[in-house]
Amino acid sequence: QVQLVESGGGGLVQAGGSLRLSCAAEDRARPEIISMGWYRQAPGKERELVATITNDDGTNYADSVKGRFTISRDNTNTRYLQMNSLKPEDTGVYYCNAVLYYADERGYVEAWGQGTLVTVSS
């Protein structure tokens, strides 16, 4: 089954700093990545969608990160979230999420990464 492998989190980032997260869909069946993005959850807050990108380069951002975060993709199985001008309010666990399509009986599949901690100090 597919595994979403997240990297780039961990450590302490100062307010105003930058961090880049990545997420890779690992499956030898090479499913089409219909969309991929990140959700985050901070203590005392609901999990919220941060940003997504589709296979035709459509993007969607939470209002709170517009102008600061950029989601992108290359021609591989990996997507990137560039986070600039970080604020303490960005602190939380970031979970990669993807909708995949297999050209077999599996069809559409949703997957989640294990989560990675982003901590922004004031």
Side-chain angles (χ1 to χ4, degrees):
Q1 181 65 300
V2 66
Q3 182 178 11
L4 299 186
V5 181
E6 300 181 58
S7 62
L12 185 66
V13 183
Q14 295 261 178
S18 297
L19 193 65
R20 189 177 76 159
L21 305 182
S22 64
C23 181
E26 301 289 350
D27 193 327
R28 296 196 66 175
R30 291 184 168 271
E32 182 179 7
I33 303 173
I34 303 300
S35 66
M36 183 177 284
W38 279 263
Y39 289 71
R40 69 185 181 190
Q41 187 165 26
K45 300 187 70 175
E46 294 184 349
R47 185 176 298 187
E48 64 174 348
L49 189 145
V50 178
T52 61
I53 186 166
T54 63
N55 60 355
D56 61 352
D57 295 321
T59 57
N60 187 38
Y61 297 93
D63 287 342
S64 60
V65 308
K66 287 179 180 176
R68 299 187 297 119
F69 291 10
T70 302
I71 190 166
S72 63
R73 69 183 185 97
D74 54 25
N75 292 323
T76 72
N77 61 338
T78 306
R79 307 295 184 263
Y80 307 92
L81 183 66
Q82 179 67 45
M83 304 186 292
N84 297 327
S85 302
L86 283 162
K87 303 176 179 180
E89 306 94 278
D90 296 317
T91 293
V93 178
Y94 285 66
Y95 298 91
C96 183
N97 172 264
V99 175
L100 313 169
Y101 180 77
Y102 292 83
D104 57 30
E105 67 277 3
R106 286 174 286 184
Y108 291 95
V109 173
E110 184 179 26
W112 288 89
Q114 80 283 357
T116 185
L117 179 64
V118 173
T119 303
V120 184
S121 63
S122 60

